[in-house]
Amino acid sequence: QVQLVESGGGLVQAGGSLRLSCTCSGMTFSRAVMGWFRQPPGKDREFVASISWSFDKVDYASSVKGRFRISRDNAKETVYLQMDSLKPEDTAVYFCAGRYGGNYPSNFIGNYEHWGQGTQVTVSS
């Protein structure tokens, strides 16, 4: 059974930082492209960042580029999202997701086969 478990969410002031983690089990993590998505209150889920299983290709939403950084540790089967310079508009439930297939980042929700339950991030102004 595949499980993706996010952690690290919480309440932070604008300008602060958080680091999200997503630990995976039951999947071949070292061959899975991993992504982070988020769902702001009352809005659709949207792409945040993605990383290839070989570490060398990443993609970011324009709204987070330069502030967020995705990384992974294949030995720990964990993907991370370092979030700096947080803004109130970053408030959302953050989900990690995994997909097999081509070794390239993907911003398309439909490409991802496995999802975590999400972790809440709230940024106060």
Side-chain angles (χ1 to χ4, degrees):
Q1 182 180 357
V2 176
Q3 282 192 314
L4 283 68
V5 180
E6 301 96 337
S7 61
L11 174 63
V12 64
Q13 287 190 331
S17 298
L18 282 175
R19 187 195 196 204
L20 305 184
S21 300
C22 173
T23 301
C24 307
S25 59
M27 61 186 290
T28 309
F29 184 84
S30 62
R31 287 297 180 265
V33 171
M34 299 301 296
W36 285 97
F37 292 77
R38 67 187 183 187
Q39 187 162 11
K43 296 185 179 180
D44 293 334
R45 196 171 297 190
E46 62 186 27
F47 170 73
V48 176
S50 179
I51 185 168
S52 63
W53 51 258
S54 56
F55 300 80
D56 58 337
K57 305 180 192 71
V58 294
D59 189 23
Y60 295 95
S62 57
S63 59
V64 307
K65 197 171 291 185
R67 300 188 297 121
F68 290 11
R69 188 174 73 89
I70 189 171
S71 62
R72 64 189 294 160
D73 185 332
N74 283 358
K76 295 182 178 179
E77 297 187 311
T78 300
V79 61
Y80 304 96
L81 186 69
Q82 177 66 41
M83 305 186 294
D84 298 322
S85 302
L86 282 161
K87 304 175 181 180
E89 51 262 45
D90 294 317
T91 294
V93 178
Y94 283 71
F95 300 87
C96 72
R99 66 178 288 265
Y100 298 116
N103 183 26
Y104 52 87
S106 173
N107 61 9
F108 181 48
I109 289 177
N111 278 346
Y112 289 83
E113 303 158 51
H114 304 293
W115 290 84
Q117 294 299 305
T119 186
Q120 176 70 46
V121 172
T122 302
V123 185
S124 63
S125 56

